[in-house]
Amino acid sequence: MKKSLILALALVAGASLSTVDAAKKKKVVKIEKEQPVVAPFQLLSSSDSLSYTAGMGSTMGLINYLLEQKVDTAYMADFVRGFQETVTQNTDDPKVKAYLMGTTIAQQLRERMLPGLKKELEGSADSVIDNTFYKGFVDALMQDTTFYKVNDAEMYFRAKLQANQAEKEERLYGANREAGRNFLAENAKKDGVITLPSGLQYKVLTQGNGAVPTTSDKVQVHYEGRLIDGTVFDASKNHGDEPTEFRPTDVIKGWTEALTMMPVGSKWQVYIPFELAYGKREAGQIKPYSALIFDIELVGIVGDKPEAAKNTKTKKKAKK
């Protein structure tokens, strides 16, 4: 009985091995799927040619634009794949339209808004964390008010941003602002210095007797501009021998006020508080909150006839 059982098992095992070997030897026939025949692209009509050349012409300047957008043109095949996927989608489908708009907004946030915000906060106590920013953006869209309501979030952000900017400006430029104020306070005590209600100060070096410009006149001026420590940051002689021409409204407020008080032929030394100069802005060597000093000579008004020439013509007429 034992021998019969062992023999039966051996036969079964042998049959199994024979089946496996047969399967190995059996040829596997692959059924090739017929590939769809794609007709070669052709330009068969005038409209075909117009459409094709319009498409090619539309790429003019695209490579430069992609480089400006930090797209590596070595991956042009990937750009084309994204382009083709987009143009073949049904943009009338609201789901597709929403999805495409989401990708566009995401790109704008990542490449424009976030870098700008980070730059604005440079040197302040706070910074922007990308993923947290995106989380707040999405929560607002999905009306998730776990942490803030949208209006409250906007108010908090604005207040925080202003506080950071004020702290940064005070730390960087507070001493410069106070130095300007102290200078003007001491300067106001000097002989010949006149202080106007606006805070503008001036001293007459030469009194002219010509016309006084209006804001619509174009004036001719020689000038030199200095910081309160004496550093010269600009002068008309740096731009040629001829006087500089402009309208009083084209310059800082302190200049506008002074020029519309000066008779032609005058030379004044003008002391301008930061509020009437560049304010919080930085302009070359001029730091934010800087008080400025200018020597201004009003040479003439464009189109205005010199007083001497007018008098000569009057005398000639009288002789006749």
Side-chain angles (χ1 to χ4, degrees), residues 301-319:
I301 298 172
V302 176
D304 189 40
K305 296 176 182 178
E307 196 64 34
K310 289 180 182 178
N311 292 337
T312 303
K313 286 184 179 181
T314 304
K315 288 175 182 176
K316 283 182 180 179
K317 285 182 180 179
K319 283 181 180 178

Side-chain angles (χ1 to χ4, degrees), residues 80-91 96 99-100 103:
V80 169
R81 180 166 53 83
F83 172 81
Q84 290 176 332
E85 285 178 3
T86 302
V87 297
T88 55
Q89 292 185 61
N90 178 15
T91 53
V96 173
Y99 176 81
L100 293 177
T103 60

Side-chain angles (χ1 to χ4, degrees), residues 63-311:
I63 298 300
N64 288 336
Y65 174 76
L66 293 177
L67 292 172
E68 288 172 4
Q69 300 303 310
K70 312 300 182 186
V71 175
D72 190 339
T73 52
Y75 299 97
M76 189 56 71
D78 296 282
F79 171 84
V80 169
R81 180 166 53 83
F83 172 81
Q84 290 176 332
E85 285 178 3
T86 302
V87 297
T88 55
Q89 292 185 61
N90 178 15
T91 53
D92 290 332
D93 185 335
K95 288 185 179 180
V96 173
K97 187 175 289 187
Y99 176 81
L100 293 177
M101 187 57 68
T103 60
T104 301
I105 296 299
Q107 186 177 12
Q108 290 176 354
L109 286 177
R110 186 175 62 189
E111 296 180 3
R112 297 180 188 178
M113 187 172 181
L114 262 180
L117 185 55
K118 287 180 178 180
K119 188 172 183 180
E120 199 169 355
L121 285 166
E122 279 180 2
S124 67
D126 292 314
S127 60
V128 178
I129 303 166
D130 291 19
N131 288 338
T132 307
F133 174 90
Y134 296 140
K135 171 65 174 168
F137 185 87
V138 171
D139 281 355
L141 294 176
M142 301 306 292
Q143 299 182 4
D144 183 341
T145 57
T146 303
F147 299 102
Y148 291 97
K149 292 179 180 178
V150 174
N151 288 342
D152 294 339
E154 171 70 8
M155 289 172 63
Y156 175 87
F157 168 71
R158 291 297 167 196
K160 193 70 174 172
L161 189 64
Q162 289 173 5
N164 274 305
Q165 288 174 336
E167 183 277 329
K168 176 182 173 181
E169 288 173 357
E170 185 62 30
R171 176 164 38 85
L172 294 176
Y173 307 117
N176 189 52
R177 182 190 63 229
E178 292 308 308
R181 285 176 174 169
N182 292 337
F183 168 82
L184 291 170
E186 290 301 314
N187 193 59
K189 301 173 185 176
K190 295 180 179 178
D191 290 340
V193 174
I194 298 170
T195 302
L196 301 173
S198 64
L200 183 74
Q201 297 177 356
Y202 71 93
K203 181 178 181 179
V204 177
L205 304 179
T206 302
Q207 181 61 43
N209 55 9
V212 176
T214 66
T215 54
S216 60
D217 288 325
K218 182 178 281 189
V219 297
Q220 297 171 316
V221 171
H222 281 303
Y223 68 90
E224 181 180 89
R226 300 186 297 280
L227 305 176
I228 60 172
D229 65 2
T231 302
V232 176
F233 58 81
D234 194 14
S236 56
K237 66 181 179 182
N238 296 341
H239 310 290
D241 295 331
E242 295 298 317
T244 303
E245 294 185 1
F246 51 83
R247 286 185 171 81
T249 51
D250 295 337
V251 286
I252 57 176
K253 292 178 181 179
W255 267 68
T256 304
E257 186 173 4
L259 285 170
T260 51
M261 295 173 59
M262 294 177 68
V264 170
S266 296
K267 185 174 182 180
W268 290 6
Q269 192 163 84
V270 181
Y271 315 92
I272 305 177
F274 78 85
E275 294 93 341
L276 301 178
Y278 292 94
K280 299 179 181 180
R281 291 182 292 134
E282 188 165 355
Q285 293 175 268
I286 305 171
K287 294 180 181 179
Y289 300 102
S290 288
L292 305 176
I293 305 169
F294 284 95
D295 289 336
I296 303 174
E297 181 184 358
L298 182 55
V299 177
I301 298 172
V302 176
D304 189 40
K305 296 176 182 178
E307 196 64 34
K310 289 180 182 178
N311 292 337

Side-chain angles (χ1 to χ4, degrees), residues 1-11:
M1 181 69 181
K2 224 176 199 182
K3 286 181 180 178
S4 300
L5 182 60
I6 292 169
L7 182 61
L9 290 172
L11 288 171

